[in-house]
Amino acid sequence: MNESVEHLDMTDPALLDAHRAGDPDAFGVLFKRHRDRLWAVALRTTGNPEDAGDALQEAMISAFKRADSYRGDALVTTWLHRIVVNASLDRLRRNKVRAAQPLPDDLEEYTGRGAVLATDTSGDPEAVALLGDRRRAVLAALDQLPPEQKAALVLVDMEGYPVAQVAQMLDCPTGTIKSRCARGRARLATLLTPVLGTGSPPSPSNPRPSTQPTLGTPEGGAPR
Amino acid sequence: MTDEADVDANDDIARLLADARVTDPLPGDVADRLDATLADLVVSRETRVTASRTPSNVIPLRRRVLPRVLVAAAAIVVVTGAAIAAPHIHERNTGQNSGAASADSAGSGSQSGAVPRSLPATKGLKAQSQHAAEGTMPMAIAGSLVQLTSDHFRADVRKLVRTLDASARTAYGAVGVPTASAAPTVPTVPTVPSPTDDGLAGSGGSLTDTVKAPDCPTPTGLDPGAEVIAVTVDGAPAVLVVHPMKDGSRLAQAFSCDAGAADATPLASATVPR
């Protein structure tokens, strides 16, 4: 791939236009610019690196060939995410016959350890290990959700995208995204009760609409 | 309090999810696979673009060859038909064919073909090769034009006229599409319509309605029943006018296409007895 300085300075829409005009390097620069985050979405949506890699590859091929389908009414990243999420969901649905991944056997142990959230684990090997265990538990619970709820939570709560942008990615109204997120969180709260250490899970009828302020901006800033 | 508890629980779930976010970059093996796939896509697109830039007037090989093959096949059919007919002309002319008289009697008014139905094609071909070997081929037939020579004009014309008499009168244009059985052994351009001419009485055409020989002016002032045939004389394009039967013979005159006028002096002429 011949990435020139000129390419690196180009905006996403300019790169996509260049690709459509026949520039052989433009799409590569564009995709490389976002592929880490696209990978993250694919990995969390599919739940395993093999499917995530395949989904990302399918999405890249689709985006390369269907660049003309981008109308400019959304961000290029939104368009790319939409393709990746769709590819991931397709793969997820195809794999639905697969046995559901069980929750960790030692989930009950988290109850005794208390709800340790967002803890600074630097210099504390035990805390690091605990955080790792908790992540695995969260991911296992996430895999129990229906694909649409899972995708909404991955994009909103994990990746920190605004609900409106996720609505564009998933091609549905913002209200639907909010609803999916609320139902998904309620379900996760039930599944992760031992981890949360709380007595009662939140009610789906009264979810918090958005958690954006606590997750950072979607424009590259790492979620908090 | 329940609402506050729900909000807290939602916040907790959101924090858990955020903590579970993938922060590692794309794995190297996946990145390599994507790069390879992308390289293939680029090459594939370049190839497609190159192909689509091929000039639109370049016709695929099959489309270029097929018409030529069809034309060649049609030419073979025509030449073969003519070759089958030509020996028959010679045979009749030399009196070897006992059916010649009856064919002649069908004469000018007949629509029968030049090759008698009883004459197998293989016999015709054999006769042709025999005549060719003996150097007695009555006339050369190349393409659709009858080739005449000034040295043997009378003999060639006599054979031609007899062939005409035995052949279908396949006139261009005014008469319509030749019948399948009437192989175009001799390209006759048009007969001047005559009420007495049984063969063309129904054509309803006139001299001006008939199709002229290619690139040749049709002589004017011809008698009704005259036939105009596209020929070459010593290799030069010409028209042969075969006048109606008169006193037991027909006058044939060849006019050069270069002369371009009805008043032109004939290149050659001959009177052909019945």
Side-chain angles (χ1 to χ4, degrees), chain B residues 32 58 77 113-114 155 166 176 196 209 235 260 266:
Chain B
D32 291 344
V58 174
V77 170
T196 59
D209 293 330

Side-chain angles (χ1 to χ4, degrees), chain B residues 38-62:
Chain B
L38 184 58
D40 289 344
L41 286 171
V42 170
V43 169
S44 175
R45 188 171 77 152
E46 291 284 308
T47 305
R48 275 203 316 276
V49 169
T50 303
S52 67
R53 285 175 182 163
T54 302
S56 58
N57 59 352
V58 174
I59 303 171
L61 182 62
R62 187 173 56 179

Side-chain angles (χ1 to χ4, degrees), chain B residues 58-257:
Chain B
V58 174
I59 303 171
L61 182 62
R62 187 173 56 179
R63 288 174 55 197
R64 281 185 289 160
V65 170
L66 186 59
R68 295 182 183 180
V69 171
L70 292 176
V71 168
I76 289 171
V77 170
V78 170
V79 171
T80 302
I84 292 172
H88 177 59
I89 295 170
H90 180 71
E91 287 175 4
R92 288 180 54 221
N93 189 47
T94 54
Q96 294 175 357
N97 189 338
S98 59
S102 62
D104 282 347
S105 66
S108 60
S110 173
Q111 290 289 338
S112 62
V115 181
R117 294 181 189 278
S118 60
L119 179 64
T122 51
K123 182 179 179 182
L125 290 172
K126 185 178 179 182
Q128 176 198 22
S129 80
Q130 181 182 356
H131 287 304
E134 295 172 353
T136 57
M137 202 69 172
M139 63 187 73
I141 300 174
S144 60
L145 293 180
V146 177
Q147 295 181 347
L148 307 176
T149 60
S150 54
D151 290 343
H152 303 91
F153 184 78
R154 179 182 173 85
D156 289 346
V157 167
R158 186 166 63 180
K159 297 165 190 172
L160 176 60
V161 169
R162 293 201 177 198
T163 302
L164 283 175
D165 290 342
S167 302
R169 301 280 175 92
T170 314
Y172 300 146
V175 173
V177 180
T179 59
S181 61
T185 55
V186 179
T188 36
V189 181
T191 303
V192 177
S194 166
T196 59
D197 188 332
D198 295 337
L200 296 172
S203 65
S206 64
L207 186 60
T208 54
D209 293 330
T210 59
V211 178
K212 297 178 179 180
D215 300 321
C216 264
T218 301
T220 58
L222 300 178
D223 295 329
E227 294 180 83
V228 182
I229 305 166
V231 297
T232 62
V233 177
D234 297 330
V239 288
L240 181 70
V241 177
V242 182
H243 296 276
M245 186 75 70
K246 191 173 184 179
D247 298 326
S249 62
R250 300 183 71 178
L251 174 64
Q253 294 175 301
F255 295 90
S256 171
C257 290

